[in-house]
């Protein structure tokens, strides 16, 4: 066989293998129906009281479905100054929010990239983490509110809402114990502890006694509330708008969503708590589903060998958040990295490197390939995929041939498409469970979304729409769903929580 023939042969085999991998990433209409049914089942069981002896979040077949203790929706007329702290996937944000009472707000914001050692080092203690958060809060206060900072004994309290975007067993609006870390943290001594107490203690040690954390919330709940505030939800009928905010969700480093459930259905809340709430006129409570943990047993989730490897070999929480590991920004690049390494092992790609050891260091480093790189590859239409070539060189120091790049682009598109298709499952399931598409006049609903993937990944929202039309709500249901980007959810949402506290 001539060199050219051999080359052609390898290219054809590579293309065939890639097609068969892409095939494993497709989510069919039948699969969507099956997954949506199972999602509704898992939500229902998650609302039931925990089986005896079980702790929240350890059972794989039910969704955590965490009561948030937030029982109302803002309508845009709320007012006041609040502080908000937000520990999420990659950043710790401190902000002050002035709610102007007319659906608008003014925000002062300081974003801190979480230092690597807090994420990677297993020996880091809770105290070190929360001391860091308190220090950064002090820096914020000194910069934006110097008179309050220099007067720590002043009388007036500054109310703070704490957005803590990890699974928490919430015990009241202002307390909750960490069930487990997700999205990279691995500090074992935080588990089981009340994160509000840990943070408040460190704020006091830092001399920030005037700051009082009055509400603990999840980023999805914040997104939902801030979306309601911005859209003036309860006034919407008066303004001629007939759509209703129903879901708050995040598609970023992680993924999760919340919605309002009838208090009567939240059987896991002690009966006296339910009765008291209902007696005081409350009918609904926001539930943080923690849908990242949907189907941790992989009974129905589409699963490839790469998903198994990432979960078992590379993630910090093996066996948990398996839905998230197929969807969110933290994992999209890692899926591609695993596939490329596998294709190389099978002699189909990057043959200039004779062995695994010779591969560029960055390609061998878990989680080195970011979803941002995939977003460039996704839409590259340059000749010979030059953009892709540069992106891979820059991010992984990885030289590629045009044929390899063509295959890598196919893989990227299959990975992102599966992610977007899977996002339609919880959305459809919640809309069906709450019967939202058949309520009110036209049954139009709003889904407030936040997170880097839904906001910036090219074509992601349009793929979500395709998937919603294929899901059990069908094209008629899909037309009633308005996906809206809710910016600054965790800041404004935490302020709104602090306000009701
Ligand atoms: C992870 C967390 C969840 C959070 C989501 C989005 O899934 O467990 O609490 O809402 O990421 O940030």
């Amino acid at each position: 066989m001539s060199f050219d023939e051999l080359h052609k042969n390898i290219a054809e085999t590579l293309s065939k293998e890639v097609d068969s991998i892409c095939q494993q990433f497709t989510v069919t209409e039948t699969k969507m129906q099956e997954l949506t049914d199972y999602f509704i089942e898992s939500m229902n069981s998650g609302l039931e009281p925990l089986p005896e002896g079980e702790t929240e979040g350890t059972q794989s077949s039910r969704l955590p479905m965490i009561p948030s203790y937030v029982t109302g929706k803002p309508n845009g007329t709320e007012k006041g100054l609040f502080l908000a702290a937000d520990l999420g996937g990659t950043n710790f944000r401190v902000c002050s929010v002035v709610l102007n009472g007319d659906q608008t707000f003014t925000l002062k914001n300081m974003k801190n990239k979480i230092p690597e050692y807090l994420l990677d080092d297993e020996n880091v203690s809770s105290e070190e983490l929360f001391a860091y958060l308190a220090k950064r809060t002090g820096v914020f206060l000194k910069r934006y509110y110097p008179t309050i900072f220099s007067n720590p004994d002043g009388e007036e309290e500054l109310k703070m809402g704490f957005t803590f975007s990890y699974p928490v067993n919430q015990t009241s609006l202002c307390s909750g114990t960490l069930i487990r870390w997700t999205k990279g943290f691995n500090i074992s001594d935080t588990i089981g502890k009340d994160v509000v107490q840990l943070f408040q203690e460190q704020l006091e040690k830092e001399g920030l006694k005037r700051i009082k954390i009055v509400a603990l919330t999840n980023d999805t709940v914040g997104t939902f509330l801030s979306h309601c505030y911005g859209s003036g939800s309860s006034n919407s009928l008066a303004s001629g708008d007939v759509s209703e905010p129903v879901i708050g969700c995040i598609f970023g480093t992680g993924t999760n969503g919340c919605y309002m459930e009838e208090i009567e259905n939240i059987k896991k809340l002690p009966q006296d708590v339910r009765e008291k709430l209902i007696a005081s006129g409350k009918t609904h409570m926001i539930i943080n589903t923690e849908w990242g943990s949907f189907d941790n047993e992989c009974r129905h989730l589409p699963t490839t060998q790469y998903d198994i490897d990432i979960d078992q070999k590379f993630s910090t929480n093996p066996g948990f958040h398996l839905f998230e590991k197929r969807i969110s920004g933290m994992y999209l690049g890692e899926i591609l990295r695993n596939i490329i390494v596998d294709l190389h092992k099978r002699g189909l790609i990057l043959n200039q490197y004779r062995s695994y050891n010779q591969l560029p260091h960055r390609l061998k480093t878990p989680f080195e390939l970011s979803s941002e790189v995939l977003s460039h590859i996704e839409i590259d239409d340059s000749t010979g995929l030059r953009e892709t070539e540069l992106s891979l060189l820059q991010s992984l120091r990885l030289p590629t041939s045009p044929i390899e790049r063509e295959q890598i682009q196919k893989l990227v598109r299959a990975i992102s498409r599966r992610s977007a298709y899977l996002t339609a499952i919880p959305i459809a399931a919640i809309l069906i469970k709450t019967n939202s598409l058949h309520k009110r006049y036209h049954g139009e609903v709003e889904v407030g979304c936040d997170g880097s993937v839904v906001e910036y990944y090219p074509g992601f929202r349009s793929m979500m729409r395709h998937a919603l039309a294929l899901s059990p709500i069908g094209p008629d249901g899909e037309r009633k769903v308005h996906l809206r980007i809710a910016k600054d959810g965790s800041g404004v949402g935490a302020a709104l929580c602090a306000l009701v506290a």
Side-chain angles (χ1 to χ4, degrees):
M1 199 185 288
S2 72
F3 181 75
D4 277 353
E5 275 169 349
L6 183 70
H7 205 67
K8 198 168 154 239
N9 229 327
I10 294 178
E12 273 170 12
T13 324
L14 172 64
S15 172
K16 253 202 213 135
E17 279 308 308
V18 165
D19 286 346
S20 114
I21 294 172
C22 291
Q23 187 58 35
Q24 296 172 44
F25 278 77
T26 49
V27 185
T28 61
E29 198 172 338
T30 328
K31 193 71 186 169
M32 297 196 68
Q33 175 76 53
E34 174 191 327
L35 284 164
T36 310
D37 290 346
Y38 190 53
F39 198 95
I40 296 175
E41 205 182 308
S42 310
M43 277 201 284
N44 286 335
S45 49
L47 290 171
E48 292 298 317
L50 276 174
E52 195 121 353
E54 292 286 345
T55 34
E56 190 61 272
T58 51
Q59 269 236 338
S60 326
S61 59
R62 42 185 281 153
L63 274 169
M65 303 294 278
I66 298 163
S68 68
Y69 293 85
V70 177
T71 52
K73 289 188 210 174
N75 61 15
T77 59
E78 294 74 10
K79 281 186 175 168
L81 162 71
F82 301 92
L83 286 185
D86 169 19
L87 185 66
T90 29
N91 296 305
F92 172 61
R93 279 202 319 151
V94 190
C95 32
S96 66
V97 183
V98 179
L99 301 171
N100 299 322
D102 56 0
Q103 299 178 24
T104 67
F105 56 86
T106 321
L107 194 90
K108 284 180 184 149
N109 185 20
M110 191 180 82
K111 200 159 138 181
N112 309 275
K113 185 154 174 27
I114 299 166
E116 290 291 325
Y117 77 93
L118 289 175
L119 286 159
D120 291 346
D121 187 345
E122 282 175 23
N123 300 317
V124 165
S125 67
S126 255
E127 203 177 325
E128 280 171 86
L129 170 65
F130 286 92
Y132 166 79
L133 305 190
K135 276 213 164 57
R136 299 312 300 166
T137 308
V139 172
F140 173 85
L141 210 64
K142 193 170 174 191
R143 185 178 303 166
Y144 293 109
Y145 296 91
T147 43
I148 297 182
F149 182 79
S150 54
N151 183 10
D153 296 317
E155 291 234 316
E156 211 187 317
E157 255 178 13
L158 265 179
K159 288 187 177 181
M160 176 184 256
F162 181 24
T163 305
F164 183 77
S165 305
Y166 301 89
V168 156
N169 190 7
Q170 191 137 2
T171 38
S172 74
L173 187 59
C174 186
S175 58
T177 52
L178 177 66
I179 299 172
R180 86 176 62 79
W181 288 111
T182 51
K183 300 178 292 191
F185 274 113
N186 203 5
I187 306 173
S188 55
D189 75 334
T190 323
I191 295 164
K193 294 203 181 124
D194 184 339
V195 292
V196 172
Q197 217 174 322
L198 292 174
F199 192 13
Q200 188 72 56
E201 272 166 22
Q202 293 302 326
L203 285 171
E204 272 155 40
K205 275 198 190 157
E206 199 54 35
L208 304 168
K209 284 182 285 188
R210 290 177 71 179
I211 300 181
K212 181 96 185 74
I213 308 171
V214 294
L216 172 68
T217 183
N218 181 263
D219 51 0
T220 57
V221 178
T223 297
F224 183 66
L225 295 177
S226 95
H227 174 66
C228 294
Y229 176 81
S231 72
S233 74
S234 308
N235 297 332
S236 53
L237 264 184
S239 65
D241 188 350
V242 286
S243 57
E244 164 98 5
V246 173
I247 299 174
C249 50
I250 306 281
F251 302 105
T253 309
T255 181
N256 187 13
C258 72
Y259 72 105
M260 289 207 99
E261 182 56 84
E262 283 178 41
I263 291 173
E264 270 184 14
N265 294 341
I266 314 174
K267 298 280 191 284
K268 69 199 303 181
L269 279 178
Q271 197 173 346
D272 57 322
V273 175
R274 261 182 292 146
E275 280 170 5
K276 228 164 136 188
L277 286 166
I278 293 170
S280 66
K282 313 283 187 217
T283 54
H284 289 75
M285 184 183 282
I286 302 182
I287 294 285
N288 163 17
T289 65
E290 283 294 330
W291 71 40
S293 251
F294 170 52
D295 197 11
N296 280 339
E297 291 171 330
C298 284
R299 288 200 202 161
H300 301 276
L301 277 182
T303 301
T304 67
Q305 187 54 46
Y306 309 109
D307 300 309
I308 299 173
D309 287 348
I310 291 170
D311 176 47
Q312 294 296 320
K313 293 192 201 153
F314 303 120
S315 78
T316 50
N317 53 348
F320 289 101
H321 264 45
L322 295 187
F323 192 55
E324 175 161 287
K325 288 173 185 161
R326 285 150 177 77
I327 293 182
S328 74
M330 177 157 176
Y331 299 95
L332 299 181
E334 182 59 7
I335 300 176
L336 178 65
R337 190 192 71 82
N338 272 264
I339 301 178
I340 296 177
V341 169
D342 176 54
L343 289 171
H344 171 259
K345 195 165 106 200
R346 289 153 63 189
L348 295 166
I349 204 169
L350 310 174
N351 292 325
Q352 70 271 35
Y353 303 105
R354 294 270 176 77
S355 67
Y356 173 79
N357 284 339
Q358 287 180 357
L359 286 175
H361 176 69
R362 292 187 180 188
L363 181 62
K364 291 185 290 185
T365 311
F367 297 100
E368 184 68 30
L369 184 55
S370 77
S371 53
E372 197 187 327
V373 174
L374 272 65
S375 73
H376 298 145
I377 302 178
E378 175 93 26
I379 45 164
D380 185 6
D381 59 0
S382 58
T383 319
L385 298 176
R386 281 278 299 157
E387 298 278 341
T388 300
E389 180 177 26
L390 287 178
S391 282
L392 290 170
L393 273 174
Q394 254 167 19
S395 57
L396 297 179
R397 306 279 180 269
L398 180 69
T400 44
S401 71
I403 289 173
E404 288 169 341
R405 292 197 286 278
E406 205 182 301
Q407 301 308 320
I408 289 175
Q409 189 178 53
K410 276 204 258 177
L411 289 166
V412 164
R413 290 177 173 169
I415 295 166
S416 64
R417 197 178 166 84
R418 181 181 73 166
S419 156
Y421 270 50
L422 291 177
T423 67
I425 307 297
I427 296 177
I430 292 173
L431 295 177
I432 294 169
K433 177 171 161 49
T434 52
N435 195 29
S436 297
L437 296 172
H438 304 287
K439 280 187 192 160
R440 305 178 80 200
Y441 178 41
H442 277 299
E444 306 260 326
V445 295
E446 283 171 25
V447 177
C449 315
D450 198 1
S452 49
V453 176
V454 69
E455 205 179 340
Y456 303 119
Y457 198 95
F460 199 81
R461 263 175 286 164
S462 113
M463 289 192 280
M464 283 171 79
R465 301 215 68 96
H466 285 161
L468 279 168
L470 266 191
S471 80
I473 64 168
D476 284 346
E478 183 268 330
R479 260 178 250 126
K480 293 180 181 177
V481 179
H482 302 276
L483 300 175
R484 305 247 201 263
I485 297 294
K487 291 288 288 174
D488 285 315
S490 24
V492 179
L496 287 158
C497 273
L499 181 129
V500 295

